[in-house]
Amino acid sequence: MTAAYPTDFDLHLFHEGNLFQAYDLFGAHLSRIDQNIYTSFCVWAPHAKQVRLVGSFNNWNGEGYSLQKVNNEGIWYIQVQKNLEGELYKYEMLTETGETYLKTDPYAFFAEERPGTASIVYSLEGYKWHDQLWQNNKKQSAIYEKPLCIYEVHLGTWKRKEDGTLYSYRELADQVIPYVKELGFTHVEVMPVTEHPYDRSWGYQGTGYFAATSRYGEPKDFMYFVDQCHVHGLGVILDWVPGHFCKDAHGLHRLDGGYSYEYENSWDRENYIWGTANFDLGKTEVQSFLISNAVFWLDYFHIDGFRVDAVANIIYWPNRDHLEVNPFGLKFLKKLNKAVFQFDPDVLMIAEDSTDWPQVTAPVHMGGLGFNYKWNMGWMNDVLKYMEMHWHQRSDHHHLISFSLMYAYSENFILPFSHDEVVHGKKSLLNKMPGDYWQKFAQLRLLMGFLMAHPGKKLLFMGSELAPFSEWKDLEEIDWHLIEYEMHQKFREYFINLLHLYKRAESLFELDHDPRGFQWIDVHNTKQNVYSFIRRNKEGSPLIVICNFGEYGYENYRIGVPEVSWYEEILNSDKKKYGGSGQINPAPLEAKKGDFHGQPAYVHMTIPPFGVVYIQPKI
């Protein structure tokens, strides 16, 4: 417990844009002097004429609680000779024009539960972590060569209590972790837990960037959630939104009467699509704020990585008739990634980027943006467009499945079926599939099998394992009742078996980012809508994948294979226990020598309708 008075060096770094642990200075901090505990407050408010501290400890009357202006660049500070832990507070900003703004602390560690908006004095010290083994293993793990399958979860609607109230972070830890482990995922991605006023923004319109939302408990309860994930072998990725912020009156918007955190120019500032304000990423103090925020979640909460939201909104200026590069955004992303990797070389920095900007996942020193992963939005859009077509139309759109391999190794990709694809009238994955009841389930099993076999890491939204007919309703829990129905039960069993197979089969992940890991067998069968390809591991061992996107099954289907051997079926989505018709290959398949599909041997096998089959040489 140390005093947090701003030093000249701190101030220099902050205004330079290089104070990457600004949370140790700004916000509310407890300090011990002799035998007494004091509470200090520090805020950056360059447009304020006066700043006063108000709260539950002074009846919200700032008389006698004026902050001292530390420098001419707008940093204000006060030390209160009281232990104010647990007290509510805000900053009363008096502007040059005589207006008064009552604002929450941009660096507050905790906030009042909605609909309240006050900050709370809170100490993050004292949590005892139990994740040393996880941290050690992470340092020894080459994530690019490991399976990575992410379960995207919105904590408020994963599950609700019977009375409709929310589970706490601790209660969620006890329920989410064993469930996700059973499914077979390697990581949980939590949609933003930064404090936000409106439930249906899902956390993407924040007001408290340093405060884990009080909806589910205290910040130390969220530490427990992360800690327990690590203890049980799950990584935790946090959705993070450094491009824009909420315009609610108590937040960052016009914090001190001026535009401190946002662009001065309204055309650049206003994010008309989302009703938010864009961060001024060229402002050095904003850079210190945002980069410190990323470091903060790594430092205090042991987060394993970030899915950085709306990167396109950072690379390009908003509100333009054509794409116009924002040089401030580009420089910020590079600076962010360099700083984060310097703090933690093993972090996952994942760009949710819908653009074709090159070298997003290349290091900054090689001309890249410095992320180590990027969502493959092109693959997702193409594949879902293809799957939503009636199968009679698919022959004319064969490229929608094959085109992704033209650029699959240009970046380190994650293949996402996220919440964005199953909300706001887009329909659930199951309901995107054409056809009758059986055909929908068969095609969804096929889609999942293709996802797991395609080069790239994986992400799926919560509830995918249940195959819901309804899209995500975002105010209610996911459709747990579906598990009572036979086809949904069978789909869930398939889903679990598929994910666990994915994690065992090195050919499906070791060379995700290396062209040696993929080879087409037959990419030209447009008439039958059948694709076949090989995935290989570092040793070169093949796993053969056959995807039939058509309505007919085939017996004695001939397919080229890379070696003369006996092949065994290790996955067939058409098994009856999965809800299929039972068109499988129960006995080993004998490969015969002879050139076919450009391979030195071939097998005859059964290909089910709307099915995916994995085979490999029998050991």
Side-chain angles (χ1 to χ4, degrees):
M1 194 179 286
T2 57
Y5 190 82
T7 67
D8 290 341
F9 188 56
D10 288 336
L11 299 179
H12 171 76
L13 288 177
F14 177 71
H15 293 300
E16 189 181 57
N18 292 319
L19 187 62
F20 298 152
Q21 290 176 283
Y23 49 87
D24 286 338
L25 169 63
F26 292 95
H29 293 273
L30 303 172
S31 58
R32 185 183 298 276
I33 302 176
D34 297 328
Q35 299 301 311
N36 300 313
I37 295 178
Y38 297 78
T39 311
S40 61
F41 298 83
C42 189
V43 64
W44 176 61
H47 300 97
K49 181 178 181 181
Q50 185 181 2
V51 180
R52 301 197 301 184
L53 180 69
V54 299
S56 55
F57 50 89
N58 63 5
N59 294 318
W60 302 93
N61 186 333
E63 290 294 330
Y65 286 85
S66 292
L67 278 69
Q68 170 192 357
K69 197 170 185 179
V70 174
N71 64 6
N72 292 326
E73 284 79 35
I75 293 182
W76 303 78
Y77 177 86
I78 188 175
Q79 186 178 74
V80 179
Q81 296 183 9
K82 296 177 184 177
N83 180 352
L84 298 181
E85 186 168 14
E87 298 284 355
L88 306 180
Y89 73 100
K90 286 188 178 182
Y91 295 121
E92 189 178 62
M93 303 280 185
L94 283 72
T95 72
E96 293 286 351
T97 57
E99 298 173 292
T100 300
Y101 292 83
L102 203 58
K103 293 288 187 173
T104 54
D105 185 350
Y107 287 84
F109 296 151
F110 193 29
E112 192 178 11
E113 188 173 352
R114 70 193 191 310
T117 58
S119 301
I120 300 175
V121 179
Y122 188 89
S123 173
L124 294 172
E125 306 298 332
Y127 181 83
K128 184 178 178 182
W129 287 87
H130 305 87
D131 66 345
Q132 193 57 52
L133 180 61
W134 169 266
Q135 301 294 351
N136 292 340
N137 289 341
K138 190 168 70 167
K139 286 178 171 52
Q140 299 167 14
S141 175
I143 189 64
Y144 303 107
E145 300 174 1
K146 297 291 183 183
L148 177 61
C149 194
I150 303 165
Y151 188 75
E152 184 190 34
V153 60
H154 178 253
L155 296 179
T157 54
W158 181 74
K159 186 178 285 188
R160 294 269 180 112
K161 296 182 180 179
E162 289 187 8
D163 62 0
T165 57
L166 303 175
Y167 283 99
S168 70
Y169 291 118
R170 288 179 178 267
E171 291 169 332
L172 286 164
D174 295 339
Q175 295 199 42
V176 171
I177 293 169
Y179 181 77
V180 174
K181 287 284 289 182
E182 179 194 6
L183 293 179
F185 288 92
T186 64
H187 288 68
V188 173
E189 180 177 307
V190 184
M191 290 168 68
V193 297
T194 46
E195 194 56 80
H196 53 284
Y198 183 47
D199 286 3
R200 297 195 76 178
S201 79
W202 316 326
Y204 291 102
Q205 296 184 12
T207 50
Y209 272 66
F210 290 83
T213 178
S214 55
R215 285 168 173 78
Y216 317 115
E218 298 184 9
K220 287 177 184 174
D221 296 330
F222 185 54
M223 291 180 189
Y224 174 85
F225 177 90
V226 177
D227 195 18
Q228 288 301 302
C229 282
H230 288 171
V231 167
H232 292 90
L234 285 175
V236 181
I237 298 165
L238 186 65
D239 265 13
W240 188 58
V241 191
H244 62 109
F245 58 88
C246 180
K247 289 170 63 176
D248 282 38
H250 64 280
L252 291 173
H253 184 57
R254 299 204 68 192
L255 179 77
D256 50 13
Y259 298 109
S260 297
Y261 282 86
E262 58 270 69
Y263 290 107
E264 290 277 346
N265 185 311
S266 63
W267 196 237
D268 299 330
R269 179 179 66 249
E270 296 300 320
N271 198 310
Y272 296 108
I273 295 175
W274 296 315
T276 54
N278 293 311
F279 278 110
D280 184 344
L281 298 175
K283 195 170 291 181
T284 50
E285 293 85 356
V286 173
Q287 294 169 14
S288 286
F289 173 82
L290 287 171
I291 296 174
S292 288
N293 186 243
V295 171
F296 168 79
W297 291 103
L298 299 173
D299 187 6
Y300 273 104
F301 290 86
H302 294 200
I303 294 296
D304 299 292
F306 300 95
R307 177 267 202 184
V308 181
D309 182 63
V311 169
N313 189 62
I314 296 174
I315 293 177
Y316 295 105
W317 286 110
N319 312 320
R320 303 297 199 271
D321 293 331
H322 60 281
L323 291 178
E324 185 177 334
V325 174
N326 179 348
F328 304 121
L330 286 180
K331 289 178 182 178
F332 165 74
L333 290 174
K334 294 177 182 181
K335 186 174 183 177
L336 163 72
N337 285 321
K338 285 178 66 176
V340 166
F341 282 112
Q342 186 173 12
F343 184 85
D344 181 358
D346 304 302
V347 72
L348 292 167
M349 291 298 289
I350 304 166
E352 188 263 317
D353 176 26
S354 57
T355 77
D356 59 358
W357 189 267
Q359 293 188 286
V360 171
T361 58
V364 173
H365 67 269
M366 294 179 64
L369 293 186
F371 292 93
N372 54 4
Y373 276 103
K374 172 181 173 172
W375 276 18
N376 194 335
M377 310 288 275
W379 175 88
M380 176 272 297
N381 283 314
D382 284 351
V383 168
L384 291 183
K385 182 178 180 181
Y386 181 86
M387 295 303 299
E388 287 187 83
M389 292 177 182
H390 193 278
W391 47 88
H392 292 158
Q393 299 174 295
R394 289 174 180 168
S395 294
D396 296 327
H397 300 274
H398 205 68
H399 67 283
L400 291 174
I401 292 295
S402 60
F403 180 66
S404 60
L405 270 300
M406 300 293 290
Y407 63 88
Y409 304 103
S410 62
E411 304 278 4
N412 299 329
F413 281 121
I414 290 175
L415 310 178
F417 289 142
S418 74
H419 68 277
D420 278 331
E421 314 321 317
V422 293
V423 75
H424 295 331
K426 294 181 182 178
K427 300 186 289 188
S428 70
L429 290 181
L430 180 66
N431 229 4
K432 292 179 192 289
M433 306 298 114
D436 61 26
Y437 185 81
W438 186 92
Q439 291 166 331
K440 284 179 178 292
F441 275 95
Q443 289 174 93
L444 185 58
R445 292 193 301 271
L446 165 61
L447 177 62
M448 292 294 109
F450 178 59
L451 165 68
M452 291 298 157
H454 192 287
K457 309 307 181 186
K458 328 296 177 186
L459 178 140
L460 288 158
F461 185 51
M462 65 180 191
S464 298
E465 69 279 6
L466 301 174
F469 275 98
S470 300
E471 63 180 22
W472 179 42
K473 296 176 281 293
D474 85 6
L475 285 178
E476 303 172 25
E477 67 178 17
I478 60 178
D479 294 333
W480 294 106
H481 66 279
L482 294 177
I483 203 64
E484 300 172 10
Y485 297 90
E486 182 181 8
M487 281 296 279
H488 296 274
Q489 288 175 1
K490 290 181 174 181
F491 178 85
R492 185 175 181 275
E493 181 181 0
Y494 168 74
F495 189 95
I496 292 173
N497 290 349
L498 177 63
L499 263 64
H500 283 274
L501 171 61
Y502 162 72
K503 292 196 300 183
R504 293 193 310 269
E506 295 171 344
S507 298
L508 294 179
F509 56 77
E510 278 193 344
L511 295 179
D512 265 332
H513 313 302
D514 187 327
R516 293 178 301 148
F518 182 92
Q519 180 186 1
W520 285 114
I521 295 175
D522 184 9
V523 70
H524 301 297
N525 189 349
T526 58
K527 184 177 180 180
Q528 294 172 304
N529 297 326
V530 175
Y531 300 77
S532 51
F533 54 88
I534 303 170
R535 293 299 309 276
R536 296 184 188 273
N537 63 13
K538 289 191 292 185
E539 313 260 310
S541 301
L543 187 153
I544 296 161
V545 180
I546 307 98
C547 298
N548 179 9
F549 292 94
E551 63 180 316
Y552 298 115
Y554 305 98
E555 294 181 359
N556 296 315
Y557 187 95
R558 186 161 63 156
I559 182 170
V561 292
E563 58 190 64
V564 176
S565 180
W566 287 89
Y567 288 79
E568 61 180 343
E569 182 177 270
I570 61 171
L571 178 83
N572 189 318
S573 65
D574 198 50
K575 284 185 176 180
K576 288 186 176 180
K577 70 174 184 176
Y578 300 146
S581 63
Q583 299 182 46
I584 63 174
N585 298 276
L589 305 167
E590 182 182 6
K592 296 183 179 179
K593 188 175 181 179
D595 182 71
F596 195 72
H597 288 148
Q599 303 296 322
Y602 61 88
V603 297
H604 286 96
M605 61 184 295
T606 296
I607 306 295
F610 299 128
V612 57
V613 180
Y614 298 175
I615 62 174
Q616 67 181 15
K618 195 173 187 313
I619 299 173

